[in-house]
């Protein structure tokens, strides 16, 4: 039966689906809902009706379920950030592991795989080392500085509190709300492309207690930038550097065509497993530093590195995975698309006195075909592709090279399941899968998996 959009229903939530949607049913037909937790009786409105399922959103919770807790953040109801803050943390971990199992069973048709319990975050708040806050004009001539409203990519709310960065970083946002008011410069308006202040990005090193401020603006003119640095560092001594990125383009992204260092060295330094990494404004880094170390450790545990190993670190970013294990293997080859990340990886190798690692910039799928010999000289690999998973051509090269040991790190269980199915079909055995919770209070889950094959 097709239901009209706007139709009101009542249902009991049975489960949470892959993308975090609540699963209910109307006369045996599944409905995926925004809002609602398992065990809850809810009232909802249908938004779309398809042949096999409906979608909608919860308008009222009639009976609360046992997994619901009070969300600690005052912005929870409107913020697009932490959609699962009202779900007990243990249950978040349960559903995240289940996502991984479901993807393996349903998408890859792989049953009886050993999926470990998700590795939890010791402290599921104050874990994010990078946050981007947006400036937005509001109707009465004022402005807001904060985060996106849930489901609205162009609407920002005024931040009063955020439990994801450190308390100091959250306080810096409030400081800027005041500072920009007295700066005499206008906040950028995306509709008419006028104004100065666009984004405030704050990056942190938890190991070293260092903060980077990155201001994204349309032109250079910060009034008395020296005074800004003086005031800001006096209020927040952990600030080690302040940079400004000039973005004059209409594309509303927190990156610039030109970067100016206003204070300090232009970078902060973070540590993973005893190694130091330089983090610039544009550097890609796992956003949960403490948990990234655990993710890497889980990967090494599955890899079982040996002195004689020649390890390929595919999709290596700034080299963190290969460099942290370099002392336990013979050599490391990192491959990464972004030339700036490769330069960073080389700098990080020098910084840590690592001499057995080298890096190549380019598309993995092209390099693996054009420079096959270099890849054939490696004997094991850790692969950490972006959300889309491995490019088909890169995966095909991998299947031809046939490394006896592969460790696959994924931030998307569905593309992982797709790639895993092909690896298993062509002779690999999928061993242990370890989910790692990098993003508490969201439905995202990272995982590490080992594949082995006879030579
Ligand atoms: N292993 C790193 C980074 C993982 S994120 C870490 O743990 O920090 C994935 C990385 O793959 C990004 O740095 C991205 O720039 C890179 N990348 C994306 N597509 C690529 C491609 N086709 N070839 C090579 N690198 C790619």
């Amino acid at each position: 039966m097709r239901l009209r959009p706007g139709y009101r229903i009542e249902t009991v939530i049975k489960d949470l689906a892959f993308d975090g949607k609540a699963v209910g049913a109307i006369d045996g037909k599944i409905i995926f809902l925004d809002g609602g937790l398992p065990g809850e009786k809810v009232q909802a409105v249908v938004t779309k009706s398809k042949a096999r399922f409906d979608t909608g959103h919860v308008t009222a919770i009639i009976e609360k379920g046992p997994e619901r807790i009070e969300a600690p953040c005052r912005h929870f109801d409107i913020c697009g950030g932490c959609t699962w803050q009202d779900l007990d943390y243990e249950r978040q971990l349960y559903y995240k592991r289940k996502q991984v199992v479901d993807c393996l069973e349903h998408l890859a048709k792989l049953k009886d795989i050993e999926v470990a319990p998700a590795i939890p975050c010791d402290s599921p708040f104050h874990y994010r080392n990078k946050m981007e806050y947006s400036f937005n004009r509001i109707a009465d001539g004022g402005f807001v500085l904060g985060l996106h409203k849930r489901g609205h990519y162009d609407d920002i709310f005024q931040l009063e509190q955020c439990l994801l960065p450190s308390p100091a970083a959250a306080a810096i946002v409030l400081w800027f709300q005041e500072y920009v008011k007295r700066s005499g410069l206008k906040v950028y308006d995306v509709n008419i492309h006028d104004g100065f202040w666009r984004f405030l990005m704050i990056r942190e090193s938890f190991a070293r207690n260092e903060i980077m401020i990155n201001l994204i603006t349309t032109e250079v003119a910060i009034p008395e930038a020296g005074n800004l640095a003086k005031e800001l560092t006096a209020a927040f001594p952990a600030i080690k550097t302040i940079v400004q990125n000039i973005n004059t383009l209409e594309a509303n992204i927190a990156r610039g065509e030109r970067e100016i260092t206003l204070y300090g060295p232009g970078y902060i330094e973070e540590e993973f497993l005893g190694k130091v990494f330089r983090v610039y404004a544009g550097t890609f880094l796992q956003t949960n530093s403490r948990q990234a170390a655990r993710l890497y450790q889980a990967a090494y545990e599955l890899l079982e590195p040996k002195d004689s190993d020649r390890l390929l670190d595919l999709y290596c970013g700034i080299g963190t995975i290969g460099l942290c294990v370099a002392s336990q293997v013979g050599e490391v080859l990192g491959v990464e698309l972004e030339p700036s990340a490769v330069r960073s990886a080389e700098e990080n190798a020098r910084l840590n006195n690592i001499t057995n690692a080298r890096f190549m910039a380019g598309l993995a799928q092209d390099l693996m075909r054009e420079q096959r010999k270099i890849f054939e000289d490696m004997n094991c690999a850790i692969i950490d592709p972006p959300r889309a998973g491995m490019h088909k051509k890169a995966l095909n090269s991998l299947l031809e090279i046939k490394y006896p040991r592969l460790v696959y790190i994924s931030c998307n269980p569905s593309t992982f399941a797709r790639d895993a199915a092909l690896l298993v079909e062509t002779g690999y055995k999928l061993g242990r899968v370890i989910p790692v919770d990098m993003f508490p209070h969201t439905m995202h889950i990272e995982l590490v998996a080992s594949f082995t094959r006879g030579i």
Side-chain angles (χ1 to χ4, degrees), residues 90-342:
E90 284 300 318
R91 300 307 290 167
Q92 292 183 23
L93 296 169
Y94 166 84
Y95 288 110
K96 290 185 187 205
R97 176 181 178 276
K98 188 168 165 293
Q99 271 184 27
V100 174
V101 174
D102 286 353
C103 283
L104 285 169
E105 286 189 355
H106 301 139
L107 302 178
K109 309 285 178 219
L110 294 170
K111 301 236 185 286
D112 303 321
I113 302 296
E114 187 191 340
V115 180
I119 298 179
C121 255
D122 284 342
S123 66
F125 288 103
H126 309 296
Y127 65 80
R128 269 192 80 101
N129 61 25
K130 178 182 156 194
M131 294 285 295
E132 262 171 43
Y133 306 92
S134 306
F135 289 96
N136 211 15
R137 285 193 204 170
I138 51 174
D140 61 0
F143 73 92
V144 290
L145 170 59
L147 295 168
H148 289 264
K149 288 188 186 169
R150 192 174 299 168
H152 297 266
Y153 293 101
D154 50 358
D155 206 355
I156 308 296
F157 67 89
Q158 175 84 337
L159 199 89
E160 294 171 15
Q161 148 183 68
C162 184
L163 302 176
L164 293 188
S166 71
I172 290 171
V173 181
L174 308 195
W175 190 94
F176 267 99
Q177 289 169 347
E178 287 308 311
Y179 172 80
V180 165
K181 220 182 273 175
R182 61 184 159 93
S183 72
L185 290 165
K186 280 190 286 184
V187 158
Y188 187 71
D189 185 324
V190 281
N191 300 311
I192 53 172
H193 302 293
D194 168 65
F196 180 73
W197 302 101
R198 299 187 82 159
F199 300 93
L200 164 66
M201 180 195 284
I202 303 179
R203 304 194 74 151
E204 304 182 66
S205 151
F206 293 124
R208 300 233 167 147
N209 189 28
E210 293 176 355
I211 294 179
M212 166 191 285
I213 304 296
N214 176 15
L215 295 163
I216 295 92
T217 64
T218 49
E219 49 182 313
V220 179
I222 293 185
E224 299 179 49
N227 280 349
L228 164 67
K230 231 183 254 163
E231 273 189 57
L232 196 51
T233 51
F236 302 97
I239 294 175
K240 185 182 170 185
T241 193
I242 305 173
V243 301
Q244 185 186 3
N245 269 274
I246 317 297
N247 176 2
T248 59
L249 306 174
E250 291 191 1
N252 207 32
I253 49 168
R255 257 181 282 142
E257 306 106 73
R258 185 150 81 88
E259 182 169 305
I260 302 165
T261 303
L262 299 176
Y263 171 79
Y267 60 80
I268 53 175
E269 289 180 335
E270 180 59 297
E271 291 174 25
F272 296 104
L273 303 170
K275 300 282 179 293
V276 184
F277 294 88
R278 269 195 193 158
V279 180
Y280 297 88
T283 297
F284 174 88
L285 194 70
Q286 301 280 351
T287 48
N288 183 336
S289 309
R290 288 183 287 258
Q291 213 52 1
R294 291 208 165 134
L295 176 78
Y296 295 168
Q297 252 164 339
Y300 307 146
E301 208 180 291
L302 295 182
L303 179 74
E304 298 180 17
K306 298 181 191 53
D307 283 351
S308 56
D309 277 341
R310 297 174 309 281
L311 171 68
L312 170 65
D313 177 2
L314 197 58
Y315 308 96
C316 71
I318 61 164
T320 41
I321 292 176
L323 293 175
C324 286
V325 78
S327 64
Q328 297 171 54
V329 297
E331 63 177 279
V332 171
L333 169 66
V335 173
E336 161 61 41
L337 169 64
E338 290 290 336
S340 63
V342 167

